[in-house]
Amino acid sequence: MSAPHNHSEHDHHDHHGHDDDGNHGSLKDYAIGFILSVILTAIPFWLVMAKVFDKSSTTALVVLAFAAVQVVVHMVYFLHMNNKVEGGWSMLSTVFTVVLLVIVLAGSIWVMYHMNKNMMPSMGNDVHNMQDMQ
């Protein structure tokens, strides 16, 4: 059979692979994060469904801003990232995340704009022709 395993005082601390003493959040932190996430999802949904802004580009920029704020909320309240955890490496990963976020958001907008412009060049003409027929 196997030998009995002796648990020392610090073995239970490393049981889940967490060897730092960082804050892993409380129920209050998770509740605040959840409420903020719901609000930051509901407002852009309402902005799009109610067509609050006349220009779709304005709506897209506002939705992207809400998305960026929601990423920060998730990093702070659910991933517990701050400048004290892991000797500051958490802050470096935050900067990396922001850079990636900007690249992904800007690239997505650029790709969608150019796909719409280059793949559907006749769509604009068809809409004007249909309006002229009526």
Side-chain angles (χ1 to χ4, degrees), residues 5 7 10-19:
H5 182 70
H7 293 284
H10 59 41
D11 277 347
H12 65 56
H13 184 5
D14 294 337
H15 183 65
H16 296 289
H18 297 285
D19 55 356

Side-chain angles (χ1 to χ4, degrees), residues 25-70:
S26 65
L27 183 60
K28 180 181 175 185
D29 289 337
Y30 286 118
I32 291 170
F34 176 73
I35 291 168
L36 287 174
S37 295
V38 168
I39 291 169
L40 292 170
T41 301
I43 291 173
F45 183 80
W46 171 74
L47 290 174
V48 171
M49 296 305 290
K51 297 183 180 178
V52 173
F53 298 110
D54 293 332
K55 294 174 67 177
S56 62
S57 60
T58 304
T59 303
L61 288 174
V62 171
V63 168
L64 288 175
F66 273 97
V69 171
Q70 189 160 137

Side-chain angles (χ1 to χ4, degrees), residues 63-94:
V63 168
L64 288 175
F66 273 97
V69 171
Q70 189 160 137
V71 167
V72 173
V73 166
H74 282 249
M75 288 188 330
V76 170
Y77 287 100
F78 299 121
L79 299 177
H80 314 293
M81 295 175 72
N82 59 35
N83 59 358
K84 298 175 202 158
V85 177
E86 298 175 10
W89 282 104
S90 182
M91 185 58 71
L92 183 62
S93 64
T94 303

